Amino acid sequence: MTGDLVYGRRAVREALRGRREVLEVFATERAVKAETWLAETRPRVKAERDLSELAGTRDHQGVVARVEPYRYADAYALAAGEKPLLAVLDRVTDPRNLGAVSRSAEGAGATGIVVPAHGSAIVTPAVARASAGAIEHLPIAVVTNLARYLEEVKGPELWVYGAAGDGAESMWDTDLSGGAALVFGAEGKGLRPLVRRTCDALVSIPLAGEVESLNVSVAAALLLYEARRQRAAAAAPAE
């Protein structure tokens, strides 16, 4: 059989509501009894161990689906819209982080996510599971050269902001109400030098405790929702 696998109850449910065609659903008897929506999919009932073998993991929650391959978006089209809000990930290799960023980005109303083709996580069943199905609704694009892409798309209508602990500007003092590409590096490594130099500004997240940095998915959530807050404030009618 062809197609991608998606596992986990939320991930499969969102796949059914998303843009990809769901080809087949497999579920345990326990999952079918617990999730009423599963009955509508007419799943093939399988034993727990069979689903673990099919998914390659025991983290499937009793539900696995075979879906059509994920269709990546055009990165330049994502950047060309009105006031785009992009989450750009540089060398973020952990699929759980890509999944978590996708979940936050979709919730914050971001335009999409951009990742490099090499040295970075891309969409996999583990990413779909970690995103709780958010990838089924959020465009994700892959580019060959991330620094070149940022250099080509940035301009008066799209500023590129790199998240960095030593950033000169605090997120509270940075205007994120316009078109913005928020760039995040991997934990412990940060942004690559060329990607860092491409940014229009480096933005820091104020920390009041003893830790020196945040997980990339947490940092992405904070900056994406700050951008959403600023946009909502800018769009609100003056009293």
Side-chain angles (χ1 to χ4, degrees):
M1 286 186 177
T2 59
D4 292 348
L5 288 178
V6 172
Y7 58 79
R9 297 183 185 185
R10 284 193 177 183
V12 171
R13 188 171 189 180
E14 294 307 319
L16 290 163
R17 299 174 60 233
R19 295 165 293 182
R20 292 196 277 180
E21 180 184 358
V22 177
L23 307 174
E24 196 168 14
V25 177
F26 307 88
T28 62
E29 288 186 8
R30 181 179 178 183
V32 173
K33 291 178 181 178
E35 302 290 340
T36 56
W37 56 269
L38 267 174
E40 299 177 8
T41 70
R42 297 182 179 179
R44 292 178 59 182
V45 178
K46 295 280 189 178
E48 187 93 15
R49 63 179 178 276
D50 293 332
L51 289 187
S52 297
E53 183 177 349
L54 176 63
T57 178
R58 296 196 298 183
D59 190 31
H60 51 69
Q61 298 180 309
V63 185
V64 179
R66 194 177 298 278
V67 301
E68 68 172 335
Y70 186 84
R71 295 191 294 270
Y72 288 96
D74 183 287
Y76 291 90
L78 292 180
E82 183 180 357
K83 291 179 63 174
L85 176 59
L86 303 177
V88 182
L89 305 183
D90 182 30
R91 295 191 303 180
V92 175
T93 58
D94 190 331
R96 292 168 298 182
N97 279 332
L98 175 55
V101 173
S102 299
R103 192 172 184 178
S104 295
E106 202 279 332
T111 309
I113 291 177
V114 178
V115 299
H118 304 289
S120 179
I122 57 175
V123 175
T124 63
V127 170
R129 170 77 169 90
S131 77
I135 65 159
E136 307 299 341
H137 309 288
L138 179 75
I140 298 177
V142 177
V143 295
T144 303
N145 187 309
L146 189 58
R148 182 187 304 155
Y149 166 75
L150 293 173
E151 188 67 50
E152 290 174 348
V153 300
K154 72 177 185 178
E157 303 300 321
L158 178 64
W159 281 55
V160 177
Y161 299 97
D166 60 347
E169 295 184 25
S170 160
M171 62 184 286
W172 312 129
D173 302 320
T174 304
D175 183 1
L176 302 174
S177 61
L182 307 176
V183 191
F184 305 92
E187 285 185 83
K189 297 179 180 178
L191 301 172
R192 285 176 292 174
L194 187 56
V195 172
R196 184 182 171 104
R197 288 196 296 272
T198 307
C199 296
D200 293 304
L202 298 177
V203 181
S204 62
I205 298 173
L207 299 175
E210 296 296 327
V211 297
E212 297 180 352
S213 64
L214 297 171
N215 174 275
V216 62
S217 63
V218 175
L222 288 170
L223 279 166
L224 285 165
Y225 273 90
E226 173 60 15
R228 177 181 177 178
R229 185 194 67 81
Q230 291 188 23
R231 288 167 177 232
E239 296 184 358

